[in-house]
Amino acid sequence: ADVFIVQPGFVLGMVQYMGFDEKVAADIASVEMWGIAITTVIMTFFAQRFNWRHVFFISLLITILGNIASLFVDAPLLFGITRFIVGFGAGGLVSLSFTVVGLTAKPDRNFAYLIMWVLFYGAIVMMAMPTAYQLVGMSGVLVFLALLSAIGLYFVHFLPASGEEHAQAEKDAVNLPDNYKYIAILAMFLYFLGHGVVW
């Protein structure tokens, strides 16, 4: 979810380079988060029914096309729609990426690597965004985000097609009943609601 990680910088771009007021920019960021949340919830219950490589490929295409579509709109409503589309694609990538890392031989180590690289990306891009806006504007940043997702297309064929391919259950793994899974989703929703992301 490349925009989510650098969301403050992206909101800054909407305000300073697209002319949106701060509330509108925050609302658009929230809409993108809604797209991520909706897809993540869907994948929680239906991931095992899909070919994961297809989901990754389609999610990347949605993210790429959403970023490209964002280049051609400057009205807040239409820009919000394109960002929702990007979020919808990003949600598929986020949910399955975490799942795939959890299926590796050393999930704790690999998850730590994942978080390290995400934070490294966030730090570098946040630092570079003000200069990038001055040099190439919001359009250049959107092209970068589309290209970043496009790079992922090459790696899709390395990924498992399903959880059964590489499932390695830990001895102390816990499989929660569905009721507890619903409670966990509600807790995440309330967490984001409390932080003002949802509204």
Side-chain angles (χ1 to χ4, degrees), residues 18 20 24 28 72-82:
M18 296 189 72
F20 299 163
V24 168
I28 292 172
F72 301 102
V73 295
D74 53 14
L77 178 60
L78 293 176
F79 194 75
I81 291 170
T82 63

Side-chain angles (χ1 to χ4, degrees), residues 33-50 52 55 59 62 84 87-96 99 181-182 185 188:
M33 278 301 304
W34 264 108
I36 293 174
I38 289 169
T39 315
T40 302
V41 170
I42 291 171
M43 293 307 296
T44 299
F45 296 101
F46 298 104
Q48 298 302 330
R49 300 184 185 185
F50 304 128
W52 288 3
V55 173
S59 296
I62 290 172
F84 176 81
F88 197 76
L93 297 172
V94 170
S95 58
L96 277 188
T99 302
K181 292 176 184 176
Y182 299 140
I185 290 172
M188 288 188 296

